Amino acid sequence: MRPPELRSLREALTRGARPGGPDGSRMLHGLAQSVALPDLLDLSCLNGDVAGQRVLLVTGDQFLAGLALIAVDGLAEAVVLCPPDLAPEHLPVIAARAGATCLLTDRPRSALPGLDGLPLIDCAWPPVPAAREPEFERATEWLLLTSGTTGVPKLVRHDLAGLTGAIRPRPEGEPAPVWATFYDIRRYGGLQIFLRGVLGGGSLVLSGGCEPVSDHLARLGRHGVTHVSGTPSHWRRVLMSPARGLIDPGTIRLSGEIADQAVLDGLREAYPRAAIGHAYASTEAGVGFEVTDGLEGFPKAFVGRPGAVEMRVVDGSLRIRSRRTASGYVGSDELALADAEGFVDTGDMVEERTVDGATRYHFVGRRGGIINVGGLKVHPEEIEAVINRHARVRMSLVEARRNPITGAVVQASVVLDEAADLPAPDEIRREILAACRAELSPHKVPALLKIVPRLDVTAAGKLARRPA
């Protein structure tokens, strides 16, 4: 018999707490605190009532944000998930667009200028006995902020059914997973893993903000993580860390950026027993698909087939239609999220390639990230995929550099591994450029290539790219 449709996270915990369900060993672990998930049926981190409110959730602590999401879902009319890197000056604009009626936070009001008109509800640790037995009252809107844009981020509306549409029940008899993610759960990628932890009958270990990679891996190892998710940039940092052997996951998941063959092969070598998959998802389009064959790109057969997720490629751009896509932008009525047929234009550019008789689509970059070299288009990610295949390269970043003749030329910054027998940098530079000349058109070959000790990664876990 099919279980009734899930209406809230609290209902998910209630079902799990029934006889035969998971016991108190199901945990939510933060950087400094832990709580048994079933205990949250009787406890609350809130000092006020959120029923019917449009909640602006602003916490410095990701762990408290997770407790708050469980507490408000099914009671609040809407909850706005504000990531920690959101500029303070943008908060009043976000609050106005969302129609926020209260502020849920662990911060003093003085740290949140421009929100004086919003009633404040404290979100605090440790939790206290709930003031009343919460019962489902309404389907809560989940409002997420887009990433990778300049200025005030756009607000995107989701519901719980769409957010959980890609999550499958745990097979009978399979051990309870221990999920971990390098993402912040207040962004779409991290929220997906948070929901898998809450709904999947297991536990979840949250990342710790500025926690060093080695410390984070040590903590994941202590908690016995079985499933770990992050961007390719997250995973490249793991592969560069001497602490990478502190975890032994059975499942590795990549999303948020292009997963090139170099990072997939590196993970296969480092974690030979893991099932490695890369997923496509975005805040607007939702979860599109997952690729588990160990190869970059995705099979051509994914496009045009009927099913829960439908895909098209129009003018090189991937378009997606499904129940998992957001229902629209909030506070920006002039913006259309989908076309007349319900397809979301993701802005991610793909290219059809046939290798060894198999035809696949390969991601080549973002439409808005193209470098113009004398009128010729260059996708930085395409060049990075070639550079990253060099055995000594761990990460690379390709950007535009101004040029008075062509307008721009290609510049590459490269992070090398720390092998003791590393050849001289000049030799590695020559090898990388030779590979680029062999595989790329002349205008795509970096005019400048420098070796750097590190590359910046955004709070969303992606390479920090300057506008092209």
Side-chain angles (χ1 to χ4, degrees), residues 371-374 400-411 447-448:
I371 300 172
N372 190 320
V373 179
R401 183 183 177 100
R402 292 184 181 275
N403 180 277
I405 300 174
T406 62
V409 293
V410 174
Q411 172 180 285
L448 298 166

Side-chain angles (χ1 to χ4, degrees), residues 138-442:
R138 57 185 56 79
T140 299
E141 294 178 358
W142 295 62
L143 307 184
L144 283 82
L145 278 63
T146 57
S147 61
T149 57
T150 57
V152 182
K154 295 189 286 291
L155 269 174
V156 179
R157 183 192 298 109
H158 282 276
D159 59 25
L160 189 61
L163 288 170
T164 60
I167 301 175
R168 298 289 174 259
R170 177 161 51 100
E172 190 73 28
E174 185 175 292
V178 180
W179 275 98
T181 177
F182 295 96
Y183 286 110
D184 190 289
I185 65 171
R186 289 160 286 191
R187 292 199 180 278
Y188 187 88
L191 181 59
Q192 278 293 308
I193 305 307
F194 175 75
L195 294 172
R196 279 165 168 76
V198 173
L199 304 181
S203 298
L204 175 66
V205 185
L206 302 176
S207 58
C210 296
E211 184 181 21
V213 172
S214 58
D215 291 353
H216 185 55
L217 292 173
R219 190 160 57 88
L220 299 190
R222 288 195 299 272
H223 290 305
V225 297
T226 61
H227 295 58
V228 189
S229 172
T231 66
S233 290
H234 284 138
W235 283 111
R236 289 187 180 101
R237 288 191 165 192
V238 170
L239 292 173
M240 287 190 286
S241 173
R244 60 185 176 273
L246 296 179
I247 61 172
D248 184 24
T251 298
I252 287 175
R253 179 184 174 95
L254 303 88
S255 62
E257 294 177 300
I258 297 172
D260 60 39
Q261 199 60 49
V263 72
L264 294 172
D265 291 345
L267 288 169
R268 168 61 54 221
E269 181 179 356
Y271 303 105
R273 80 176 194 92
I276 300 170
H278 55 100
Y280 179 85
S282 74
T283 307
E284 289 96 332
V287 178
F289 56 87
E290 184 172 14
V291 180
T292 58
D293 60 10
L295 301 177
E296 62 185 346
F298 59 94
K300 182 180 179 181
F302 281 18
V303 175
R305 68 182 181 185
V309 177
E310 298 174 82
M311 299 194 299
R312 292 176 176 172
V313 176
V314 179
D315 297 328
S317 178
L318 180 64
R319 303 192 178 193
I320 293 179
R321 178 174 67 185
S322 80
R323 174 64 181 84
R324 306 170 192 172
T325 62
S327 59
Y329 293 112
V330 176
S332 303
D333 295 337
E334 73 282 3
L335 294 176
L337 187 140
D339 64 19
E341 295 181 80
F343 281 88
V344 175
D345 182 354
T346 68
D348 286 309
M349 308 303 290
V350 296
E351 181 179 275
E352 187 178 320
R353 301 174 188 169
T354 300
V355 180
D356 296 330
T359 303
R360 298 173 74 87
Y361 278 104
H362 288 246
F363 288 100
V364 293
R366 294 284 298 167
R367 182 167 50 222
I370 292 173
I371 300 172
N372 190 320
V373 179
L376 299 172
K377 295 180 180 180
V378 175
H379 289 285
E381 294 90 342
E382 180 185 8
I383 304 170
E384 290 163 6
V386 175
I387 295 173
N388 290 342
R389 286 200 286 271
H390 189 284
R392 295 305 191 193
V393 172
R394 281 306 184 199
M395 301 178 74
S396 65
L397 174 67
V398 169
E399 300 175 289
R401 183 183 177 100
R402 292 184 181 275
N403 180 277
I405 300 174
T406 62
V409 293
V410 174
Q411 172 180 285
S413 300
V414 177
V415 178
L416 303 178
D417 67 13
E418 298 180 356
D421 60 343
L422 197 66
D426 286 346
E427 181 180 343
I428 294 178
R429 189 181 290 108
R430 286 193 293 270
E431 292 173 353
I432 293 172
L433 290 175
C436 289
R437 293 188 188 101
E439 298 188 44
L440 300 169
S441 301

Side-chain angles (χ1 to χ4, degrees), residues 106-129:
D106 61 347
R107 300 177 181 177
R109 187 181 286 279
S110 59
L112 301 168
L115 299 175
D116 295 342
L118 287 180
L120 187 147
I121 297 177
D122 287 323
C123 181
W125 177 267
V128 297

